[in-house]
């Protein structure tokens, strides 16, 4: 790898620049552009941590986060978005668009002449209209400042019919579908209404985004529209059509401040959210408030002040990305009211259980507590915990019932304030109640077959990764049951967590590796060829190998044997039983060789979650040096501080939180109480815990040359194990790694006896 | 039976009275009080046919339809109710209550001094306040006239937090649960807001009832409340608390007209519904409009003008009850927007498939078409057709997936404008997709066992009636598949419709009858004792017989072997294979004797749906005379024109439509294209079909003595069969029954060859 770690000069300049701003802090290391282009799809607009409102420009052709780089055309600025998602888009509701024209049309768009993307701030100047738009946001309200050119009309469109991902095909899969909308001009400074949309990636039920718009400049003219009819009417009721409002400000008003309160339950709540967060505050005050919130969170982790600026930007932006979602919608749930917290946009736990949730467990355990309690409550109210949830609706499931792992992670790490008995009940719903026709939305599809055959036979969608992931989820149940003293249950699910072995085809060889998770039919036969399509005449089949991603022609991922990955990847994704996996793979040497092949030939897929932990598998054969080497190479090759600095969909910060841990030199195995210690990218990382304690990881002498851990000290005492217990972090202290230029004997043993 | 048929004097007086009103018509025979007391639970307020709005007084202790007889206290008048339901209540939203006091409290109630319950009109005078309240309604709007005493305050409460069936127990089963509410005083004559509630009988997701209130007298003082805090605030946003408004009118305003627009999608739609239906119309005009709508529908059936007044009231009120529900909420669906009609409050199809829907098929086939299309569309959007649905949410299932039978009924009777291929697809979802954790809400619980074992083993809730009813639903699939030419499918489901035989315990004898549907475990063993409760120590059991309704102590119906009926009843509920049933019962004589015992010993349950067709079973052994005798006795004993004139929950008009058919002398076997002809209670009934044709049933010489059909003529030709094809009704014409004083040879054969 090229040296970034030693670019001290750049680092110093960065520090000076930061200092120059006086109030500058860690927030200035956030660069919302990182991961915004390419596959990353991160949200680039201003927003509060876990905020409900996320305003951003929305570009044609409607990408997942709203924004696309210039020169894409901009349709306006919608108030609700998600970050880093793949598949069909969700949200993009309540679009504001300033323009310079009379109130005679609503098909308005423009192009950006310039654009400023900063933490808690977005600004752009439109090419045609010359209007400057500035945006900041609080939790449930966004703030706009429109600066109009001195000459020309000063108009604003509020579009309650806009949403992302509209498709001309009726009921297209994963496409959002319009349900209804409404607008009402309440006074010469106020507009209210809503947008009601269903569908999207999770095929969710209808959700409604209510808004309240308040301008500091009175309108001199207003119009509203329904469908294609524009009129002077003060309101448009919901008749299943798209509606919106057109507003004109006086000629002399160059600067117009517009605030938007948002609510998922009602128009008056949207107004209340505006009043509570935005009324009486300047644009700068709002920006300052949200910036302070972020600063407080980023301060939970302090990294080597002499680290290269690029690393700081990568690290703190990744930390920021981790805390964009899920959305804290406590008090904003239209489905039920109770004292429990309510989080939505778990999008998806399949992505975030691995590193995002574990990261919160360290730096914001009260958030983890609230999210887990929200999940348990969703099960109580909706019947199942989500694997993914958005727009107040569970859906979809990608593989396992991964909320189980989130609860287990909280449980084994002792997160307080959770009724783990109730958590276990919710997990057992996943493990015992077939979701019937709803297996796309929640629970475990193919559960009955899984329980009777011990695996999911080919023919049921995603049979391969479901079997693998249900095994892990069963282990999660074992973990929680064990800690609660339910020994029978604990043992039963420990046994059941071996189900992955029932799809392990021992004698199957591929590229030097022996044994793979492979398709098997309900009668127990291994399948070398898989049926394709529904033709009864031809019965077409295709060859299935551990590297097959698609059938002979396009096959939806969802109906394949594996979801979004190959057998090479999933056959190494047994995080709860790596020793068992090594044995299945033919022992340590064969496993070592197999991992080498996996990374050398790029069978490893850096851009998706199933392989997240694979680099650390070397730990289990006493080679944490190879784990570290592999991780450093992956970061070097795939991560940077550019707009394309994330190699895959950030998935609500999943990819980013992976980076945070690995830069710090520890990696969690979700559902277990330990972290795998490996060579960090940072010379020091301090986790400031909520109780005033802190835990520091120091890599003494770390350089491009000295990249191997030769010795380690935990709180001053020699520490030869390659894992660190969560309890050691919580207790506060220091893990000191002494670096060397070659691999040594450190870390041959993984676990300290409890 | 005592003679009512010949009470010509009374009848004449009735006619004269009707004529006296000038405009009087069939509507005057509606007496909304019939079935309002006792078990009937019918809705007594003014409403439009299949209307969305049904205003009524709401009495403590919150009964299902809102109303209770005097002297129960009245809490106010809510705008949305259901009719005839059992179990936990639903709706009761947006309560208006006039009172004579300052705006300092909202715990207001009063008692009725007098009460007038008429079709399309409700009036009452309160004892304490002396205020008179009059109500009428259109489809989506209600109209109130409050007449205040000259002296005293003139105040009105609008309660957005009220709903029926509130329970102090958190999350009590079948109890509605509060989610949120909002009120806003828009001007000195307008108030808007909503009530959001979940739960109720069907354990449904949250639904929202929006309102817009318009007064013709300006408020001189207003207040609003949230929880227990009353203030002068003009609005109360939704923070998960109960809210409401208090309004005071000027002292000189004795009469205040208040209109309430209601919507299930938005506040502006509620206003629009008011404007469209109510604005600019007098109370009397609104009442007249809705009265005309009813008149037009009642005119679809003309009965013997000389029939006793009591019969006319019974008949036309029953016809009226049949058309109260489901609720036509086309354009009011918050879940999706599309060109299909949208009906809600199928509450439940399990009740209405038997006679209500078949009655609509004759007199309002376009309604039947729209309801079926609505059901098919609900399957498309929500995954399953409902067995019951209310508050925009499927739930619960009582037995079979009875929407299947509704579709089959429409199909075999040739209702046009339905895509029966899509209907069949929706039926096959019921028949092939296990509803997983949602078996309480939709689909067929225990489907997998039903398909593998051929019956539902004891241990799964309602194993007995589910097996029986799934068999009938399978027959419904057979019927539709056959007509669509899907012969394989048709035959497969015909075979599967014999599944009831797998629970038929041939050698089981009870009170002279041999063979009963009895509980059986998954291994095939018949069970004489059933396990009760969950104790592992005691393993308590209780004896199960064909007359057991409950276990040794209270058992929820839902978890019993049969739902709401005994094995005596369900063992005679095989309407799709009565010949097979007769064979199973030991032949015609044994069957005859069994039926005699069934009715003589009151094993027959007049107050619930499972036995609806049982009186007609005599037809299949060539004894339609006994069917007629039995039916006449049942009516005589259990039905009349009093407030207790319905023997069971009317269930959206199920009990009432049973009466309509049987008074006319034909009874439908839903899902089949024929009616069973028996002795009518009416000397003539004319069905006026929508295409201008009409079909007349005349009982020539019918009297208390001449109560047997000796001969019949269809369009003048001898007709010896005891069934009538739907096609014969549709063609128009006349069925003439020649009555005699003793049973003859007529009707020994059931079916005319097609």
């Amino acid at each position: 790898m090229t040296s970034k770690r030693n670019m001290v000069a750049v680092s110093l300049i960065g520090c000076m620049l930061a200092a120059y701003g006086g109030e500058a802090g860690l927030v200035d290391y956030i660069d919302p552009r990182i991961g915004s282009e390419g596959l990353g799809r991160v949200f680039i607009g201003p927003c509060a941590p876990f905020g409900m409102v996320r305003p951003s420009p929305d570009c044609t052709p409607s990408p997942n986060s709203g924004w696309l780089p210039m020169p894409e055309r901009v349709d306006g600025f919608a108030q609700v978005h998600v970050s880093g998602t793949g598949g069909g888009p969700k949200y993009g509701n309540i679009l504001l668009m300033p323009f310079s024209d009379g109130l005679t049309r609503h098909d308005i768009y423009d192009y950006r002449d310039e654009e400023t993307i900063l933490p808690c701030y977005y600004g752009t100047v439109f090419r045609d209209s010359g209007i400057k738009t500035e945006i900041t946001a609080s939790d449930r309200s966004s703030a706009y400042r429109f600066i109009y050119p001195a000459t020309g009309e000063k108009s604003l469109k509020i579009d309650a019919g806009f949403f992302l991902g509209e498709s001309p095909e009726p009921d297209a899969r994963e496409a959002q579908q319009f349900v209804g909308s409404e607008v009402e001009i309440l006074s010469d400074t106020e507009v209210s209404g809503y947008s009601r949309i269903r569908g999207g990636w999770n095929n969710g039920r209808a959700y409604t985004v209510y808004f309240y718009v308040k301008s500091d400049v009175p309108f001199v003219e207003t119009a509203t529209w329904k469908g294609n009819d524009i009129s002077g009417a003060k309101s448009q009721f919901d008749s299943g059509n798209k509606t919106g409002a057109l507003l004109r400000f006086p000629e002399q008003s160059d600067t117009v401040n517009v605030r938007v309160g948002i609510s998922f339950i009602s128009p008056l709540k949207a107004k209340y959210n505006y009043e509570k967060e935005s009324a009486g505050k300047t644009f700068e005050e709002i920006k300052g408030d949200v910036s302070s919130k972020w600063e407080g969170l980023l301060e939970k982790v302090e990294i080597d002040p002499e680290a290269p600026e690029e690393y700081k930007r990568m690290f703190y932006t990744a930390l920021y990305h981790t805390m964009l979602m899920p959305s804290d919608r406590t008090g904003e749930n239209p489905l039920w009211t109770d004292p429990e917290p309510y989080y939505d946009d778990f999008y998806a736990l399949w992505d975030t259980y691995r590193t995002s949730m574990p990261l919160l467990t360290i730096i914001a355990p009260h958030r983890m507590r609230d999210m887990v309690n929200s999940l348990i409550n969703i099960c109580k109210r909706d019947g199942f915990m989500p694997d993914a949830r958005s727009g107040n609706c569970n859906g979809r499931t990608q593989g396992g019932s991964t909320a189980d792992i989130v609860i287990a992670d909280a449980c084994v790490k002792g997160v307080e304030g959770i009724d783990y008995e109730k958590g276990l009940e919710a997990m057992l719903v996943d493990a015992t109640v077939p979701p019937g026709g709803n297996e796309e939305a929640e629970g475990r599809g193919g559960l009955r077959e899984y329980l009777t055959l011990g695996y999911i036979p080919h023919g049921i969608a995603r049979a391969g990764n479901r079997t693998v992931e249900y095994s892990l989820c069963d282990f999660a149940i074992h973990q929680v049951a064990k800690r609660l003293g339910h020994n029978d249950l604990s043992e039963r699910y420990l046994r059941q967590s071996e189900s992955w072995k029932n799809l392990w085809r021992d004698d199957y060889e591929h590229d030097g590796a022996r044994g793979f998770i492979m398709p098997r039919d309900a009668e127990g036969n291994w399948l070398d060829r898989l049926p394709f399509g529904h033709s009864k005449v031809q019965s077409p089949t295709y060859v299935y190998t551990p590297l097959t991603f698609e059938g002979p022609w396009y096959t939806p991922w969802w109906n394949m044997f594996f979801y979004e990955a190959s057998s090479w990847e999933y056959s190494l994704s047994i995080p709860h039983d790596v020793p068992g996996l090594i044995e299945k793979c033919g022992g340590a040497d064969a496993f070592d060789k197999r991992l080498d092949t996996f990374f050398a030939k790029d069978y490893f897929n850096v851009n998706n979650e199933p392989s997240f932990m694979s680099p650390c598998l070397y730990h289990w054969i006493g080679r944490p040096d190879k784990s570290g080497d592999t991780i450093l190479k992956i970061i070097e090759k795939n991560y940077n501080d550019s707009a394309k600095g994330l190699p895959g969909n950030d998935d609500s910060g999943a990819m980013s939180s992976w980076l945070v841990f690995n830069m710090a030199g520890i990696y969690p195995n979700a559902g277990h109480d330990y972290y795998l210690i490996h060579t960090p990218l940072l010379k020091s990382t301090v986790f400031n815990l909520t109780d005033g304690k802190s835990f520091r990881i120091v890599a003494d002498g770390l350089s491009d040359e000295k990249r191997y851990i030769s010795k380690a000290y935990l709180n001053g005492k020699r520490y030869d194990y390659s894992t660190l217990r969560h309890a050691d972090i919580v207790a506060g202290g220091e893990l000191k790694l002494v670096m060397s230029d070659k691999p040594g004997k450190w870390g041959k043993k993984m676990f300290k006896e409890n």
Side-chain angles (χ1 to χ4, degrees), chain A:
Chain A
M1 64 190 293
T2 60
S3 175
K4 289 175 191 164
R5 194 184 289 115
N6 295 342
M7 288 159 71
V8 177
V10 176
S11 170
L12 285 175
I13 290 167
C15 285
M16 285 160 63
L17 281 171
Y20 185 74
E23 287 302 310
L26 299 175
V27 165
D28 296 310
Y29 291 114
I30 298 172
D31 183 350
R33 288 169 307 186
I34 297 178
S36 63
E37 295 186 34
L39 287 174
R41 299 187 181 180
V42 298
F43 171 75
I44 60 92
C47 64
F50 309 103
M52 193 172 86
V53 158
R54 277 184 281 270
S56 157
D58 287 271
C59 300
T60 298
S62 53
N64 285 55
S65 75
W67 179 87
L68 281 178
M70 292 161 62
E72 287 292 351
R73 96 175 203 202
V74 172
D75 292 317
F77 308 94
Q79 314 313 310
V80 188
H81 293 93
V82 287
S83 183
T85 65
K90 192 93 184 179
Y91 299 129
N93 317 93
I94 314 303
L95 190 85
L96 267 58
M97 182 63 172
F99 64 105
S100 293
D101 207 344
L103 310 188
T104 55
R105 62 192 188 90
H106 63 76
D107 58 330
I108 295 154
Y109 55 87
D110 212 325
Y111 295 87
R112 289 159 287 182
D113 245 357
E114 56 182 78
E115 186 172 49
T116 308
I117 298 173
L118 292 173
C120 313
Y121 175 88
Y122 174 86
T124 191
V125 176
F126 282 130
R127 185 189 72 190
D128 294 348
S129 68
I131 300 166
K132 180 173 186 179
T133 299
E134 297 180 292
I135 321 177
T136 188
S138 51
D139 288 296
R140 295 170 182 194
S141 177
S142 32
Y144 288 81
R145 185 160 53 198
F146 300 113
I147 301 165
Y148 292 90
T151 58
E153 305 279 12
K154 294 164 178 61
S155 301
L156 177 66
K157 172 174 92 156
I158 301 173
D159 191 340
F162 183 87
F163 58 93
L164 288 176
E166 188 161 16
S167 167
E169 180 193 338
D171 300 314
R173 282 287 287 179
E174 299 196 12
Q176 291 200 107
Q177 314 285 337
F178 184 74
V179 177
S181 74
E182 201 156 282
V183 290
E184 185 172 17
I185 294 164
L186 301 173
S187 72
D188 65 356
T189 61
E190 298 166 298
V191 184
S192 182
Y194 69 80
S195 173
R196 188 169 288 147
I197 306 293
R198 64 185 174 87
W201 176 76
N202 73 334
N203 299 318
R205 288 189 296 269
Y207 66 89
T208 309
V209 181
Y210 297 91
F211 70 91
Y212 171 83
V213 162
K214 174 78 177 172
S215 163
D216 69 345
V217 174
F219 322 137
V220 291
E221 185 189 356
T222 66
T224 58
W225 79 82
K226 178 179 284 192
N228 288 320
D229 298 331
I230 299 177
S231 78
K234 291 294 180 195
S235 67
Q236 297 287 354
F237 73 91
D238 185 350
S239 53
N241 297 295
K242 295 183 178 181
T243 63
L246 300 168
L247 314 169
R248 196 164 59 78
F249 302 106
E251 254 182 68
Q252 68 277 17
S253 301
D254 293 353
T255 299
V256 178
N257 278 286
V258 168
R259 303 290 164 78
V260 188
I262 290 291
S263 169
F264 279 73
I265 60 173
S266 83
L268 290 184
K269 186 73 193 298
K271 182 179 181 184
Y272 167 80
N273 288 338
Y274 149 75
E275 284 170 347
K276 185 178 169 217
E277 299 181 357
S278 195
K281 287 183 185 166
T282 65
F283 185 92
E284 280 68 25
E285 283 168 343
I286 294 168
K287 179 173 172 292
D289 287 351
V290 70
S291 189
S292 298
K293 279 193 180 180
W294 280 114
E295 186 69 21
L297 287 169
L298 299 188
E299 282 171 355
K300 292 289 175 190
V301 195
E302 292 171 61
I303 64 172
D304 173 18
E306 295 187 3
E309 291 299 285
E310 180 184 359
Y311 285 4
K312 288 182 180 174
R313 282 192 294 271
M314 287 165 66
F315 188 91
Y316 283 109
T317 303
L319 201 53
Y320 166 81
H321 284 156
T322 306
M323 294 186 278
L324 294 177
M325 288 167 65
S327 309
D328 183 352
R329 296 221 289 251
T330 304
E332 286 282 344
N333 183 349
L335 302 173
W336 62 78
T337 305
D338 64 18
E340 295 298 322
Y342 181 65
Y343 281 78
D344 199 69
D345 302 323
F346 292 102
Y347 200 173
L349 292 175
W350 188 81
D351 304 301
T352 59
Y353 83 80
R354 303 166 205 258
T355 47
S356 305
M357 305 296 275
L359 183 55
L360 294 182
T361 297
I362 299 176
I363 63 173
H366 60 291
R367 285 276 183 191
M368 182 68 171
R369 174 200 66 204
D370 287 354
M371 288 174 193
V372 169
N373 283 333
S374 180
L375 292 171
I376 295 170
N377 199 39
I378 286 168
C379 178
K380 175 180 174 183
R381 302 298 181 191
D382 273 2
F384 284 90
M385 294 189 287
D387 179 40
R389 183 180 180 93
S390 191
N392 300 312
C393 189
N394 283 354
R396 309 163 79 177
T397 58
Q398 298 178 248
S401 46
T402 50
D404 304 342
I405 308 167
V406 175
I407 294 180
D409 200 56
C411 181
V412 298
K413 291 172 182 169
V415 175
E416 293 178 350
I418 296 166
D419 184 336
Y420 288 105
E421 290 285 358
K422 283 191 182 165
L424 182 61
E425 280 173 31
M427 297 164 86
L428 288 171
V429 169
D430 284 334
T432 61
V433 180
N438 283 335
E439 48 274 283
E440 197 176 279
E442 55 204 4
R444 298 189 186 179
L447 175 63
R448 209 172 284 261
E449 291 80 359
Y450 176 75
L451 294 178
T452 51
L453 300 175
Y455 62 93
I456 303 184
H458 190 263
I460 292 176
R462 311 191 293 292
N465 67 300
R466 275 176 158 166
T467 300
V468 167
E469 296 180 38
Y470 294 177
S471 301
L472 172 59
C473 293
D474 285 340
F475 183 82
I477 294 173
H478 151 73
Q479 290 280 58
V480 175
K482 189 172 71 177
R483 271 153 193 81
L484 294 173
H486 300 306
N487 296 332
D488 285 2
L489 208 58
S490 164
E491 282 165 29
R492 188 192 321 159
Y493 279 91
L494 183 61
R495 281 194 302 277
Q496 197 167 301
S497 78
E498 295 189 44
S499 299
W500 63 275
K501 293 180 180 173
N502 298 322
L503 278 190
W504 188 270
R505 191 170 171 183
D506 281 306
D507 60 354
Y508 193 97
E509 289 191 39
H510 192 270
D511 204 355
R514 190 178 166 91
F516 283 89
I517 302 284
M518 292 294 281
R520 197 175 186 187
D521 68 18
E523 287 71 43
N525 306 303
W526 298 107
L527 305 176
D528 289 306
R529 300 185 65 89
L530 299 181
F532 187 84
H534 296 290
S535 165
K536 286 178 184 172
V537 183
Q538 296 284 353
S539 299
T541 62
Y542 67 100
V543 175
Y544 188 81
T545 78
L547 280 181
T548 302
F549 277 86
E550 293 197 349
W553 57 95
Y554 176 71
T555 316
W557 291 99
W558 297 94
N559 298 334
M560 294 285 285
F561 180 62
F562 283 126
Y563 176 71
E564 292 193 352
S566 69
S567 180
W568 263 94
E569 291 166 78
Y570 276 113
S571 297
L572 290 169
S573 294
I574 315 293
H576 62 293
D577 188 13
V578 183
L581 175 64
I582 293 169
E583 192 188 325
K584 279 287 185 190
C585 287
D589 289 347
F591 194 66
D592 190 15
K593 184 162 164 275
R594 182 177 188 139
L595 288 177
D596 290 348
T597 304
F598 184 63
F599 292 107
K601 296 208 172 174
D602 269 345
Y603 297 163
F604 168 75
N605 179 7
V606 68
N607 80 18
N608 211 0
E609 283 76 7
S611 295
F612 260 24
M613 205 183 85
S614 305
C616 282
L617 292 177
Y618 287 110
H619 271 66
W620 273 268
I621 51 170
R623 294 299 303 273
D625 58 305
K626 291 183 79 170
S627 298
D629 258 353
T630 307
I631 288 164
L632 294 181
K633 274 183 206 155
I634 290 167
I635 295 174
E636 177 63 25
K637 190 172 162 191
N638 299 285
Y639 290 83
N640 57 56
D641 67 347
S642 79
K644 294 185 178 170
L646 290 174
N649 296 161
D650 195 33
D651 290 326
S652 305
M655 198 98 353
S656 291
S657 53
W658 182 94
L659 183 65
V660 167
F661 273 118
N662 283 321
M663 287 182 80
I666 56 173
Y667 188 86
N669 187 358
H672 301 75
D673 71 344
Y674 63 82
Y675 303 82
L676 302 149
I677 303 166
H678 62 72
T679 305
L681 207 63
L682 298 165
K683 286 182 181 167
S684 76
T685 307
V686 181
F687 292 99
N688 292 315
L689 310 175
T690 44
D691 60 357
K693 293 179 188 153
S694 65
F695 189 83
R696 173 189 301 265
I697 300 168
V698 184
D700 219 17
L702 177 68
S703 70
D704 279 3
E705 296 72 38
K706 289 193 165 186
R707 58 197 292 175
Y708 299 105
I709 302 168
S710 62
K711 274 184 283 192
Y713 296 87
L714 181 61
N715 302 324
K717 290 170 70 177
R718 271 290 289 271
Y719 192 79
D720 292 335
Y721 312 98
S722 65
T723 61
L724 180 69
R725 295 283 173 187
H726 184 73
D728 291 323
I729 291 181
V730 168
E734 183 188 74
L735 176 69
K736 185 168 149 184
L737 309 172
V738 180
M739 307 309 292
S740 163
D741 57 0
K742 46 181 170 294
K745 292 189 174 174
W746 173 85
K748 296 292 171 198
K749 285 173 75 176
M750 283 188 78
F751 298 104
K752 182 180 171 187
E753 294 70 32
N754 269 320

